[in-house]
């Protein structure tokens, strides 16, 4: 029986990468740098809180990593990302140690839903909760809110290890002075040095509750919540908000890591008893047949067959690999990157999707 489905890599109609030249490298903390890029032509169009996916080659293999933009298009003349070193991090170590002004890096267009619209007539109280590098996207949103909404105010709960590890410490202090009465920053240090007079330990349930109850009790402000950081802080924050009956649409969260997707990937790696299925993938108007074994996702299998499928985080947290399910059923290891409406409309994330039936067909939009 002849296979009538094409398996060769489709010809790219447009170059998906945007080359950005590094303009400046700023050392924020001993293990974090901010890279500011020259504005391309036309200028980079992004919303505060979105991320860039960097595409680089290591040992002859293309790798991708996503980093949140820490800048505001309403305030900052040049877009920038902040990168914190992680143990064994391929990108983070390279960007912290070997990047220099003049270096050009290929990126994908800005993506992400961790953002909001701004209007000068809004009167909101932004409650922002961050831990470590989770301050990165929040910084762009914070600056945008202050400049665009003169009637709004911001309260930031920010957990760091010690004073030396506070990313954007000087910038935050300046913003507090520039916007008196409109920005309150509460630093929480888990391992402070001698002489620290602020909050110590970790962001607790009681601390979050007190801020939320105060914000919800204000008659003149509409409270809105943004959370980004380690899973523990995020889960605790969202749980407190839900327990206090905060409307779901007022809660925004951005994850850098998914333990659920990681655990599912680990379990799938040893799966030899499941079924291998054929999945139809519609890419740029052409249909391809992809063989998906039980230890692989649709994206992994498509890339292995040289299909130029879009992707970024590969953890189910962004929407770069989003596709619409035309038929069949899939299991997603993680779906935090999709809104309830997107899921109701049949969208899936190919990087964490595994076919459950033999009739799965996905179109990449």
């Amino acid at each position: 029986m002849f296979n009538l489905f094409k398996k060769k890599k489709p010809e790219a109609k447009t170059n998906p990468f945007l080359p950005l030249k590094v303009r400046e490298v700023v050392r924020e903390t001993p293990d974090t740098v901010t890279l500011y890029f020259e504005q391309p032509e036309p200028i980079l169009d992004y919303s505060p809180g979105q991320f860039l996916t960097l595409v680089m080659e290591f040992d002859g293999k293309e790798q991708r990593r996503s980093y949140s933009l820490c800048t505001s298009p309403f305030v900052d003349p040049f877009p920038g990302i902040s990168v914190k070193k992680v143990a064994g991090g391929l990108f983070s170590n390279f960007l912290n140690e070997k990047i220099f002004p003049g270096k050009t890096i290929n990126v994908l267009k800005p993506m992400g839903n961790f953002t909001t619209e701004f209007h000068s007539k809004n009167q909101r109280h932004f409650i922002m909760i961050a831990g470590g590098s989770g301050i990165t996207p929040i910084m762009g949103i914070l600056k945008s809110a202050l400049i665009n909404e003169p009637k709004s105010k911001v309260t930031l709960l920010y957990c760091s290890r010690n004073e030396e590890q506070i990313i954007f410490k000087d910038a935050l202090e300046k913003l507090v002075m520039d916007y008196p009465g409109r920005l309150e920053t509460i630093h929480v240090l888990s391992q402070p040095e001698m002489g620290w007079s602020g909050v110590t330990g970790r962001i607790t349930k009681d601390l979050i509750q007190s801020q939320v109850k105060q914000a919800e009790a204000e008659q003149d402000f509409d409270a809105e919540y943004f959370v980004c950081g380690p899973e523990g802080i995020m889960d605790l924050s969202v749980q407190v908000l839900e327990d206090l009956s905060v409307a779901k649409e007022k809660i925004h969260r951005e994850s850098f890591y998914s333990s659920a997707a990681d655990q599912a990937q680990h379990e799938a790696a040893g799966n030899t008893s499941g079924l291998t299925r054929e999945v139809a993938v519609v890419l740029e108007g052409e249909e391809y047949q992809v063989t998906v074994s039980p230890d692989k996702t649709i994206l992994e299998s498509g890339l292995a067959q040289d299909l130029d499928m879009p992707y970024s985080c590969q953890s189910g947290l962004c929407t770069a690999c989003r596709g619409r399910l035309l038929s069949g059923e899939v299991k997603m290891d993680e779906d935090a990157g999709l809104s309830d409406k997107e899921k109701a409309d049949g969208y899936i994330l190919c990087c964490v999707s595994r076919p459950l039936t033999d009739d799965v067909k996905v179109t990449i939009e």
Side-chain angles (χ1 to χ4, degrees):
M1 183 176 181
F2 292 101
N3 187 351
L4 299 179
F5 292 96
K6 300 179 181 180
K7 290 190 177 183
K8 67 179 182 179
K9 183 177 180 179
E11 294 183 4
K13 295 181 180 179
T14 58
N15 182 3
F17 303 144
L18 172 67
L20 293 182
K21 181 179 289 187
V22 177
R23 174 185 176 85
E24 185 181 8
V25 180
V26 176
R27 176 64 56 182
E28 304 287 356
T29 72
D31 60 1
T32 303
V33 295
T34 296
L35 308 182
Y36 291 99
F37 298 101
E38 297 283 3
Q39 281 285 8
E41 181 61 42
I43 65 171
L44 188 70
D45 183 18
Y46 69 95
S47 297
Q50 290 192 307
F51 61 86
L52 290 178
T53 298
L54 277 59
V55 184
M56 301 177 70
E57 190 173 282
F58 292 91
D59 297 326
K61 183 178 180 181
E62 180 187 293
Q63 303 282 354
R64 303 185 184 191
R65 294 291 187 279
S66 299
Y67 294 100
S68 293
L69 286 147
C70 61
T71 48
S72 164
F74 308 106
V75 177
D76 302 298
F78 304 103
I81 60 171
S82 294
V83 182
K84 184 174 182 177
K85 289 176 68 173
V86 296
L90 192 63
F91 273 68
S92 66
N93 284 280
F94 180 83
L95 295 175
N96 265 268
E97 299 170 0
K98 299 181 180 180
I99 208 67
F100 52 86
K103 171 73 174 178
T104 297
I105 301 176
N106 283 324
V107 305
L108 298 179
K109 67 178 182 179
M111 291 179 285
N113 300 318
F114 188 66
T115 187
T116 185
E117 297 293 328
F118 301 96
H119 196 285
S120 60
K121 293 184 179 180
N122 288 345
Q123 189 163 320
R124 293 187 280 184
H125 188 173
F126 292 84
I127 303 295
M128 299 181 162
I129 306 172
S133 59
I135 188 65
T136 307
I138 280 179
M139 192 65 173
I141 301 170
L142 181 154
K143 288 189 287 186
S144 300
L146 291 172
I147 194 68
N148 284 313
E149 300 189 1
K151 297 179 182 179
S152 295
K153 61 181 180 178
V154 180
T155 298
L156 171 66
L157 300 180
Y158 182 24
C159 185
S160 307
R161 185 181 301 118
N162 51 51
E163 283 189 86
E164 189 181 43
Q165 293 291 331
I166 298 176
I167 303 172
F168 309 131
K169 181 176 182 294
D170 292 342
L172 286 169
E173 290 177 354
K174 185 177 186 305
L175 285 169
V176 169
M177 291 188 293
D178 290 345
Y179 296 93
R182 293 186 55 212
L183 172 61
E184 179 185 11
T185 301
I186 303 172
H187 289 290
V188 182
L189 302 186
S190 61
Q191 300 174 25
E193 302 290 341
M194 291 291 292
W196 172 252
S197 60
V199 183
T200 61
R202 299 187 180 278
I203 293 178
T204 63
K205 179 179 180 180
D206 289 342
L207 180 57
I208 299 171
Q209 280 183 335
S210 66
Q211 295 298 323
V212 175
K213 288 180 178 179
Q214 180 180 330
E216 290 294 314
E218 294 174 325
Q219 298 297 318
D220 297 330
F221 292 87
D222 293 323
E224 196 151 351
Y225 304 87
F226 291 80
V227 187
C228 185
E231 280 194 308
I233 290 177
M234 294 185 59
D235 291 344
L236 176 63
S237 302
V238 172
Q239 187 60 59
V240 169
L241 293 168
E242 291 177 348
D243 290 345
L244 293 176
S245 301
V246 173
K248 192 172 183 179
E249 61 271 17
K250 291 187 175 184
I251 304 173
H252 311 269
R253 57 181 295 170
E254 178 78 323
S255 299
F256 292 161
Y257 169 77
S258 169
S259 59
D262 191 57
Q263 178 64 25
Q265 183 73 18
H266 177 73
E267 293 173 354
N271 185 2
T272 58
S273 59
L275 296 176
T276 295
R277 303 181 188 275
E278 297 296 312
V279 173
V281 175
V282 181
L283 182 64
E284 294 185 342
E286 294 193 59
E287 184 173 320
Y288 302 85
Q289 198 77 354
V290 176
T291 302
V292 184
S293 58
D295 61 331
K296 301 295 183 183
T297 64
I298 293 174
L299 175 67
E300 289 174 319
S301 301
L303 294 177
Q305 292 181 207
D306 291 331
L307 290 188
D308 193 16
M309 297 173 66
Y311 70 95
S312 179
C313 74
Q314 293 185 277
S315 300
L317 301 176
C318 74
T319 58
C321 66
R322 191 183 76 162
R324 188 192 291 268
L325 191 64
L326 300 180
S327 64
E329 296 181 27
V330 302
K331 174 185 179 298
M332 282 191 284
D333 301 333
E334 172 67 84
D335 60 6
L338 294 174
S339 66
D340 290 340
K341 184 178 186 307
E342 287 174 317
K343 285 181 277 188
D345 289 341
Y347 286 102
I348 66 170
L349 300 173
C350 294
C351 72
V352 289
S353 291
R354 306 174 193 275
L356 293 178
T357 60
D358 293 326
D359 59 341
V360 173
K361 184 174 182 178
V362 182
T363 181
I364 308 298
E365 301 179 350

